């Protein structure tokens, strides 16, 4: 999508409302991963350098349209202030007289962070009056929260009806990286899909099966493919209503000449627990009552070899139950393999996948780590993202 960005509009001295995605993870009251905050810094700093008053808005968690003290954005504002090396004013609401007064008192280069948008039920309902009130304090709107751009909410789509609206640098980078996978990837193109359910990746599977040179299936969703081939899966989670889809994907891959790779060996456990008994078996030998928890070492070697032969790699979804250390090897070692590749475009999507590369400290070795989650999946499915579609086109 060829959309205008903050470079294409005069922001000097203007009041700019910026939708960011500061829905960060907390651990014991502390932010455990600030990558979403860091992702917004280029846009915020660009606006500050040009003397704009920067008014940030975001949600945090799922408060259900009411005030939840544990979901206030003040801790996020504190971390943002540290990263910027400048004061950030946290406002205790996102619309109303207090917001209007705070913005009116702000000076060029100031940064304000409005309170959690989802404290108001009108946000997710995309209520026109709420969107208009949110937009009323600004002269320009910048969409830089790619992770929520697939939602037609007041702060993503509604405000664009009242303000000239452009993309921030994070959204621009996401559209360039993910769009490149759909439009003109360097080949061979290798797609690696994992995670728990085939249904979560159904749209990507259907949109990519005839675009890729290789498709690698890992994670819990592999069990559905294994069962579709008539192999034993023990007590593994299987989506029986997706077995025909799995067979169709395999048939389309064969017809189109794509190499579809499913596990040849797996790590199995006698229960879904970090303390479970486990062992590695060939896929023909999964015991009754045991669950598939990770890919095995032979499969990992095959996946690494396929990735090494690619020029563009898309990876979305872990290879196993990586949050349990005993079943994290496939995910972590595959991530490390991607980080070691040279001259390859690597694009990672999905919160779990991004979490792994952040933990391993190899984010800078990956071409692009999407902040999108559901938004990146919908984009790769070929669906229109309301928060992006509403922005000004280049020719507008």
């Amino acid at each position: 999508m060829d959309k205008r960005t903050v470079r294409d509009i005069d922001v000097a001295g203007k009041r700019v409302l910026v939708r960011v995605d500061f829905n960060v993870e907390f651990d014991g009251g502390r932010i455990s991963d600030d990558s979403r905050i860091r992702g917004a810094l280029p846009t915020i700093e660009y606006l500050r350098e040009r003397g704009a008053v920067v008014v940030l808005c975001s949600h945090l968690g799922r408060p259900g349209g009411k005030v939840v003290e544990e979901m206030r954005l003040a801790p996020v504002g504190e971390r943002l202030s540290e990263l910027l090396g400048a004061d950030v004013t946290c406002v205790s609401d996102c619309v109303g007289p207090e917001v209007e007064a705070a913005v009116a008192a702000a000076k060029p280069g100031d940064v304000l962070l409005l309170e959690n948008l989802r404290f108001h039920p009108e946000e997710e309902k995309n209520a026109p009056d709420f969107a208009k009130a949110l937009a009323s304090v600004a002269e320009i709107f910048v969409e830089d929260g790619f992770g929520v751009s697939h939602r037609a909410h007041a702060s993503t789509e509604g405000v664009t009806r009242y303000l000239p609206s452009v993309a921030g640098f994070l959204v621009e980078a996401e559209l360039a990286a993910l769009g490149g996978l759909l439009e003109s990837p360097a080949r061979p193109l290798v797609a690696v899909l994992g995670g728990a359910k085939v249904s979560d990746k159904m749209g990507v599977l259907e949109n990519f099966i005839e675009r890729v040179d290789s498709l690698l299936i890992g994670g819990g969703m592999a069990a559905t493919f294994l069962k579709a081939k008539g192999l034993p899966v023990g007590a593994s989670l299987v989506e029986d209503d997706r077995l025909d889809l799995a067979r169709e994907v395999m048939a389309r891959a064969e017809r189109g000449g794509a190499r579809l790779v499913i596990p040849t060996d797996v790590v199995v456990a006698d229960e879904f627990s970090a303390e479970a008994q486990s062992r590695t078996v060939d896929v023909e030998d999964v015991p009754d009552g045991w669950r598939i928890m990770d890919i095995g070492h032979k499969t990992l070697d095959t996946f690494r070899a396929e990735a090494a032969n690619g020029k563009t790699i898309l990876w979305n979804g872990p290879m196993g139950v990586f949050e349990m250390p005993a079943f994290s090897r496939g995910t972590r070692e595959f991530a490390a393999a991607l980080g070691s590749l040279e001259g390859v475009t690597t694009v990672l999507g999905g919160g779990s996948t991004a979490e792994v590369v952040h933990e391993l400290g190899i984010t800078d070795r990956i071409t692009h780590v999407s902040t999108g989650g559901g938004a990146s999946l919908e984009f790769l499915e070929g669906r229109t993202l309301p928060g992006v579609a509403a922005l000004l086109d280049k020719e507008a």
Side-chain angles (χ1 to χ4, degrees):
M1 296 183 184
D2 200 11
K3 295 295 182 179
R4 297 180 75 183
T5 74
V6 287
R7 296 188 195 89
D8 304 314
I9 195 167
D10 181 14
V11 298
K14 302 290 179 64
R15 301 183 306 279
V16 182
L17 179 68
V18 186
R19 182 36 159 120
V20 290
D21 182 8
F22 286 170
N23 186 30
V24 297
E25 296 291 332
F26 283 82
D27 183 9
R30 296 177 59 84
I31 296 173
S32 57
D33 181 2
D34 65 3
S35 57
R36 289 184 176 181
I37 304 175
R38 291 178 182 272
L41 293 179
T43 296
I44 296 170
E45 290 171 339
Y46 178 90
L47 294 170
R48 291 188 69 225
E49 289 168 2
R50 283 152 184 77
V53 172
V54 185
V55 184
L56 306 173
C57 61
S58 178
H59 74 286
L60 177 62
R62 298 179 177 178
K66 60 182 182 297
V67 175
V68 177
E69 291 300 324
E70 295 77 17
M71 295 182 187
R72 289 195 178 275
L73 282 165
V76 177
E78 292 174 8
R79 182 57 182 146
L80 175 60
S81 179
E82 293 171 359
L83 293 171
L84 283 175
D87 291 338
V88 173
T89 300
C90 292
V91 188
S92 64
D93 206 343
C94 57
V95 293
E98 183 183 353
V99 176
E100 295 166 8
V103 175
K107 300 178 178 61
D110 283 354
V111 179
L112 294 80
L113 176 60
L114 305 185
E115 188 52 276
N116 195 333
L117 291 160
R118 292 186 184 174
F119 285 176
H120 293 261
E122 297 87 355
E123 157 65 0
E124 293 184 88
K125 294 176 181 177
N126 198 6
D129 288 347
F130 182 77
K132 187 174 183 179
L134 192 60
S136 67
V137 297
E139 299 162 274
I140 295 168
F141 174 67
V142 174
E143 173 60 85
D144 213 30
F146 184 74
V148 290
S149 63
H150 61 314
R151 306 297 188 194
H153 290 171
S155 66
T156 59
E157 192 273 340
V159 294
T160 65
R161 303 171 197 169
Y162 306 102
L163 295 171
S165 303
V166 298
F169 295 131
L170 177 61
V171 166
E172 180 186 37
E174 293 275 10
L175 296 178
L178 299 176
L181 294 172
L182 296 172
E183 296 164 9
S184 56
R187 294 192 175 272
L189 170 61
V190 180
V192 187
L193 299 180
K197 297 180 179 180
V198 173
S199 54
D200 292 340
K201 306 294 191 301
M202 181 172 63
V204 177
L205 281 166
E206 293 181 327
N207 197 35
F208 264 79
I209 188 58
E210 283 151 2
R211 300 173 184 265
V212 299
D213 299 288
S214 296
L215 174 62
L216 317 183
I217 304 293
M221 64 185 287
T224 299
F225 279 82
L226 292 169
K227 185 172 181 179
K229 291 192 71 173
L231 293 163
V233 295
S236 305
L237 173 67
V238 171
E239 293 176 278
D240 288 320
D241 60 341
R242 300 290 189 237
L243 290 173
D244 286 343
L245 169 66
R247 295 184 187 104
E248 175 61 20
V249 167
M250 290 187 282
R252 286 173 61 186
E254 186 174 355
R255 289 196 301 268
R259 176 169 162 77
L260 191 146
V261 184
I262 61 176
T264 54
D265 66 334
V266 290
V267 179
V268 295
D270 61 353
E271 61 180 1
F272 191 81
S273 165
E275 291 76 36
Q277 295 184 60
S278 64
R279 62 177 187 260
T280 301
V281 299
D282 289 340
V283 291
E284 295 85 0
D285 301 321
V286 175
D288 289 344
W290 289 55
R291 298 169 180 262
I292 296 173
M293 303 288 277
D294 197 7
I295 58 173
H297 56 87
K298 290 188 292 187
T299 301
L300 177 60
D301 287 344
T302 300
F303 281 17
R304 285 190 288 216
E306 289 287 337
N309 288 329
K311 286 296 183 184
T312 306
I313 300 168
L314 164 67
W315 179 25
N316 187 294
M319 297 293 97
V321 189
F322 84 99
E323 61 269 24
M324 297 181 187
F327 310 113
S328 66
R329 178 177 179 239
T331 301
R332 295 181 185 280
E333 293 199 14
F334 185 70
L338 291 191
S340 69
L341 297 177
E342 300 285 349
V344 177
T345 298
T346 47
V347 179
L348 272 59
S352 298
T353 316
E355 183 180 334
V356 173
V357 299
H358 291 316
E359 284 183 10
L360 294 175
I362 60 171
T363 305
D364 61 343
R365 300 286 299 161
I366 304 299
T367 308
H368 181 76
V369 179
S370 179
T371 61
S376 61
L377 283 176
E378 291 195 17
F379 187 90
L380 294 172
E381 290 169 8
R383 295 166 63 178
T384 298
L385 306 184
V388 173
L391 304 178
L392 293 172
D393 294 326
K394 282 283 188 184
E395 64 271 18

